[in-house]
Amino acid sequence: FDHMDVVLIPPNLLVVSSHHPNALMPASSDGTSPPYLYFLDRGHISAYATLGGDISGADLNDDSNNVHLAKGEQNNPRHRLAKYGAGAILGVASFVTPDDMPGLNIMPTAAISDTYCQLLRLPRSRCDELEKLHPALIFRLYRLLVLISERRLQDHRIRVVASEAFKINVRPSTNFQ
């Protein structure tokens, strides 16, 4: 854990966003910049699909760092994709995407804290240093990220097949807690 920051965040904070790579997270203690890889230690975070770059009422210039969610509106662009608890890893796509290929992040998403959360944050710049110092450790991290991405894709495929086969929607409810 020497290479990670511990970050404590309140509910309704924009943690990860494909539209705003800096999101609203507190700055890293040593000045490292995004992208970051987040390991959720405590709490719950929901991932949302966002349309047109809108973060559903989030005022990214608001000094309070809170995302003001407009629940129940007819034109709300958010669609919850998943809810994550302890052990989840967030920010994988932006973390592994090369700097010279930002267009590879296709799906506009945002992750917003549901409760008070504790995260471990690994900046990619520190990971680049670890590649030189401990390549075996970083290789294991990348293998873990590939495994997680593959499992998420497999879960999505199963939900799509189940939805089509049983003619029911097998996706998380927007009000699931």
Side-chain angles (χ1 to χ4, degrees):
F1 298 111
D2 294 341
H3 304 286
M4 296 186 189
D5 299 325
V6 175
V7 182
L8 303 172
I9 60 170
N12 298 326
L13 187 83
L14 180 63
V15 179
V16 179
S17 171
S18 58
H19 297 293
H20 303 280
N22 293 320
L24 294 174
M25 293 296 290
S28 181
S29 59
D30 62 357
T32 55
S33 59
Y36 300 119
L37 189 62
Y38 297 96
F39 299 84
L40 182 57
D41 186 41
R42 292 186 191 125
H44 291 93
I45 293 176
S46 290
Y48 296 93
T50 58
L51 305 175
D54 188 4
I55 307 295
S56 173
D59 180 4
L60 297 177
N61 297 316
D62 183 2
D63 291 335
S64 70
N65 283 354
N66 285 341
V67 175
H68 307 289
L69 301 176
K71 294 189 177 185
E73 290 184 7
Q74 293 285 342
N75 59 355
N76 190 342
R78 296 182 303 122
H79 175 76
R80 185 156 80 185
L81 301 172
K83 185 168 184 172
Y84 300 110
I89 300 176
L90 306 170
V92 174
S94 61
F95 189 79
V96 299
T97 301
D99 291 332
D100 60 343
M101 302 173 123
L104 290 179
N105 285 333
I106 300 168
M107 185 171 186
T109 58
I112 300 171
S113 59
D114 296 327
T115 62
Y116 285 94
C117 297
Q118 179 174 313
L119 297 162
L120 298 174
R121 176 173 62 186
L122 176 64
R124 187 165 66 192
S125 59
R126 286 191 208 148
C127 194
D128 292 343
E129 293 171 18
L130 286 172
E131 284 180 2
K132 297 171 188 150
L133 300 173
H134 304 287
L137 175 67
I138 296 304
F139 182 72
R140 291 185 64 161
L141 174 64
Y142 286 144
R143 282 177 40 193
L144 174 65
L145 297 179
V146 168
L147 177 65
I148 289 168
S149 297
E150 181 61 29
R151 288 211 175 134
R152 286 179 181 170
L153 182 59
Q154 184 179 12
D155 288 346
H156 171 72
R157 287 179 185 147
I158 289 171
R159 283 194 305 272
V160 168
V161 168
S163 294
E164 290 175 2
F166 300 114
K167 306 296 184 214
I168 59 169
N169 192 2
V170 186
R171 295 192 180 113
S173 166
T174 57
N175 61 3
F176 175 74
Q177 294 296 325

